[in-house]
Amino acid sequence: PSRLAAWRRAAQACDLDDHSSCPVCSPQRLTAEEVSTIGAMVTSPAYRHVPTGRLAILAQRLGTVVASASTWYRLVRERGWRRPRHRVHPKGPREGVRADKPNELWHIDTTIVRLLDGTRAYVHAVIDNFSRRILAWRVHDRMEAGSSVQVLVAAGAQLDSKLRPRLVADAGTENCNAAVDKLIDSGLLERVLAMVDIKFSNSLIEAWWRSLKHNWLFLNPLDSVASVRKLVAFYVEQHNKAIPHAALDGRTPDEVYFGRGDGVPDALAVARREARTRRLEENRARQCAVCA
């Protein structure tokens, strides 16, 4: 009998647009007015500070809709209602600090690499802002105050004496100590602290740390500091000489730093146009059995 009753209900046509089935067949369901009221309260900015479950109880106390919280959750999920509770974030810079020529702006930072035995390796590096070239790097088994000085001296060895780059660093102890202060006071560099002296962060070299770790270091067994040193040496060479950068219009950091890749963007643009033309000609020349 229950199967026969279900067939009879399914055979009855219902012309109501706001219900998926006839309300007479399921008299306990919410009315159209109640559903509309729930939708208005869920999407109203006046109740955006009230969670959905507590909003169901609040509606019961106000006498607008008497329904359980599970019914509210189900309607929100089925109807795709979005609570107007988007967090308002302060506007940040859309683009980081940018240099106009090589050796105008440097970034220095230190990252920690955990080895298989639980010990750590400390990688120090300096990157040029304009060309994204790694100017110098060091790998040590412990954090030392003079490590940053060694990297900066190695980077400045290939620097013209007339240039005085600005060094962007964070406020860590490896960058703010007596040894680094003595180097800054010598006039070789000018140091600015990220998010303190300037509103920009040190994200340029932090992005390179992410590439170094996830694209190379984490793909190899890191069993010793010597292994990390060899792996970093390989990736730095590949990064500077072989891997093209999208922000550099397809050029490598070495080509931009030494001014050798001026014709690469135009050559790539010509190659893309030729490939597009050739692809159209070949695809239009092909015919299947239906086309023939």
Side-chain angles (χ1 to χ4, degrees):
S2 61
R3 179 66 59 85
L4 179 60
W7 286 350
R8 287 176 176 174
R9 288 196 300 268
Q12 295 175 358
C14 184
D15 297 332
L16 297 179
D17 297 333
D18 56 348
H19 288 276
S20 58
S21 62
C22 182
V24 178
C25 302
S26 52
Q28 294 296 331
R29 66 183 304 164
L30 297 178
T31 63
E33 291 78 11
E34 290 177 327
V35 174
S36 177
T37 303
I38 292 176
M41 295 184 67
V42 166
T43 58
S44 174
Y47 298 106
R48 63 178 182 177
H49 61 287
V50 184
T52 305
R54 300 180 186 181
L55 188 60
I57 303 176
L58 179 61
Q60 296 179 18
R61 297 195 58 173
L62 295 176
T64 54
V65 178
V66 181
S68 64
S70 60
T71 301
W72 283 62
Y73 285 121
R74 178 178 56 81
L75 288 175
V76 170
R77 184 176 60 254
E78 293 178 352
R79 304 297 176 100
W81 291 329
R82 301 297 300 271
R83 300 298 307 275
R85 303 178 65 185
H86 300 288
R87 181 178 177 181
V88 180
H89 295 271
K91 292 184 178 180
R94 300 290 298 178
E95 185 178 359
V97 58
R98 291 293 180 263
D100 297 328
K101 59 183 179 180
N103 294 321
E104 181 181 3
L105 199 63
W106 289 358
H107 297 264
I108 186 172
D109 195 20
T110 302
T111 188
I112 301 175
V113 179
R114 187 176 297 275
L115 305 182
L116 295 177
D117 58 357
T119 59
R120 297 178 178 182
Y122 299 88
V123 186
H124 310 264
V126 177
I127 188 173
D128 180 62
N129 181 282
F130 182 75
S131 63
R132 272 77 166 176
R133 183 177 187 266
I134 301 299
L135 303 177
W137 60 274
R138 293 289 187 275
V139 178
H140 297 284
D141 57 351
R142 60 182 180 272
M143 180 71 72
E144 296 180 350
S147 301
S148 298
V149 177
Q150 296 177 9
V151 176
L152 292 174
V153 170
Q158 51 186 339
L159 185 64
D160 190 356
S161 59
K162 299 180 181 179
L163 297 177
R164 187 169 180 256
R166 298 183 65 189
L167 180 66
V168 180
D170 53 27
T173 57
E174 71 276 7
N175 300 322
C176 298
N177 52 64
V180 178
D181 294 343
K182 183 178 179 181
L183 181 63
I184 298 299
D185 295 338
S186 65
L188 179 63
L189 299 169
E190 177 188 357
R191 180 179 56 191
V192 293
L193 297 180
M195 306 298 294
V196 178
D197 299 329
I198 57 177
K199 63 180 180 179
F200 302 100
S201 65
N202 205 11
S203 59
L204 191 68
I205 191 169
E206 291 172 357
W208 189 78
W209 289 139
R210 183 172 60 251
S211 299
L212 170 66
K213 291 180 178 180
H214 293 277
N215 293 340
W216 181 240
L217 288 185
F218 292 162
L219 306 181
N220 298 274
L222 307 175
D223 51 1
S224 64
V225 176
S227 300
V228 175
R229 189 174 290 113
K230 292 180 180 178
L231 293 172
V232 173
F234 171 80
Y235 191 80
V236 168
E237 183 180 5
Q238 291 292 306
H239 171 80
N240 288 341
K241 298 181 179 180
I243 303 177
H245 205 293
L248 304 178
D249 296 330
R251 295 171 291 180
T252 63
D254 270 2
E255 291 175 342
V256 176
Y257 186 81
F258 296 107
R260 293 196 302 256
D262 295 338
V264 173
D266 295 335
L268 292 177
V270 172
R272 285 192 292 267
R273 289 196 299 268
E274 293 178 352
R276 189 180 301 111
T277 303
R278 183 174 62 255
R279 189 180 303 117
L280 289 174
E281 294 177 354
E282 292 181 0
N283 289 332
R284 288 170 177 171
R286 296 171 62 91
Q287 290 185 352
C288 62
V290 178
C291 298

